[in-house]
Amino acid sequence: GQNIDQPTEMTATEGAIVQINCTYQTSGFNGLFWYQQHAGEAPTFLSYNVLDGLEEKGRFSSFLSRSKGYSYLLLKELQMKDSASYLCAVMDSNYQLIWGAGTKLIIKP
Amino acid sequence: DAEITQSPRHKITETGRQVTLACHQTWNHNNMFWYRQDLGHGLRLIHYSYGVQDTNKGEVSDGYSVSRSNTEDLPLTLESAASSQTSVYFCASSEKTDSGNTIYFGEGSWLTVV
């Protein structure tokens, strides 16, 4: 079967750095996405990785290792507005998105 | 700005009633999707369409149907609403770009079946 695993919940301090991990087992691979979802709102696109390595976008970076079936989202200089759920999704060989259940990130002052 | 809109945003209905959730996008995307999101689960795909007159079943399609008569709209119908269909429903659309097939979501429709 296809599976995406990510921690259910994480807590971090304002101004700090947090890494949210995602491991996957899918039928083929055509890219990995990270989305941010604030409570009661729609998911919004953060990043896309299809090749191994690190993609940086401001305070957010996403890393991919295809051989390990592993990705992480790194958030730097955490702000209170970063409190949200972070969803990992993998596009499989049929170009279907397989979604993780999401990681709820709680930021404390 | 191009966008994707859903209506109604909130609805309460009775068991056994037919319900239709509307989805309209102005990006001219070929691909459209309906997901449901429940606590403890990731987004689960209900139905999807890759173009006009094309519809496909997703992971949790039982009790739902869609139709695609034009590029802009993909209405989702619950034929006979059940309490298990109480959920938040997201419509989404995509087109292949340099960022892969990035999916963009509507604001969501909260459905309660009593």
Side-chain angles (χ1 to χ4, degrees):
Chain A
Q2 308 203 89
N3 197 49
I4 309 282
D5 284 317
Q6 46 180 138
T8 304
E9 186 174 296
M10 298 181 70
T11 302
T13 305
E14 190 177 14
I17 299 173
V18 70
Q19 177 175 310
I20 302 174
N21 295 326
C22 171
T23 58
Y24 63 88
Q25 290 179 309
T26 57
S27 303
F29 180 85
N30 281 300
L32 185 143
F33 296 80
W34 284 96
Y35 280 76
Q36 180 189 59
Q37 185 177 24
H38 285 101
E41 297 183 8
T44 55
F45 172 75
L46 284 179
S47 68
Y48 169 72
N49 294 69
V50 67
L51 299 176
D52 289 352
L54 189 68
E55 296 277 344
E56 297 187 75
K57 266 189 192 181
R59 294 189 299 113
F60 291 8
S61 303
S62 56
F63 171 83
L64 175 67
S65 168
R66 288 172 297 171
S67 62
K68 295 181 179 177
Y70 168 70
S71 172
Y72 67 72
L73 181 69
L74 191 72
L75 291 73
K76 303 176 185 176
E77 301 169 15
L78 286 170
Q79 303 175 10
M80 297 304 292
K81 67 179 182 179
D82 297 329
S83 292
S85 289
Y86 292 86
L87 313 181
C88 173
V90 172
M91 186 163 284
D92 69 11
S93 57
N94 294 319
Y95 292 92
Q96 293 292 330
L97 272 177
I98 311 301
W99 294 86
T103 298
K104 182 178 180 180
L105 178 63
I106 299 167
I107 310 295
K108 295 187 174 178
Chain B
D1 285 341
E3 59 181 9
I4 180 166
T5 55
Q6 296 181 224
S7 63
R9 297 291 315 282
H10 298 273
K11 185 172 182 66
I12 300 173
T13 192
E14 294 178 342
T15 301
R17 291 203 181 255
Q18 184 181 78
V19 176
T20 296
L21 306 179
C23 175
H24 179 81
Q25 54 102 359
T26 58
W27 278 305
N28 204 36
H29 286 168
N30 282 320
N31 307 331
M32 294 186 73
F33 310 84
W34 273 105
Y35 290 93
R36 61 178 288 174
Q37 188 176 39
D38 305 285
L39 271 175
H41 292 274
L43 288 158
R44 292 186 289 175
L45 184 63
I46 305 171
H47 282 284
Y48 60 101
S49 168
Y50 288 150
V52 176
Q53 302 301 332
D54 175 73
T55 61
N56 306 279
K57 293 182 179 181
E59 176 190 358
V60 290
S61 60
D62 287 349
Y64 304 94
S65 63
V66 293
S67 60
R68 188 87 181 272
S69 58
N70 58 52
T71 301
E72 296 79 16
D73 299 289
L74 187 72
L76 177 72
T77 297
L78 286 69
E79 304 295 343
S80 176
S83 57
S84 59
Q85 293 176 309
T86 293
S87 187
V88 57
Y89 292 86
F90 287 103
C91 180
S93 70
S94 76
E95 200 71 52
K96 187 163 173 54
T97 67
D98 289 342
S99 296
N101 288 300
T102 302
I103 280 189
Y104 298 94
F105 289 86
E107 319 98 306
S109 294
W110 275 255
L111 177 68
T112 302
V113 182
V114 297

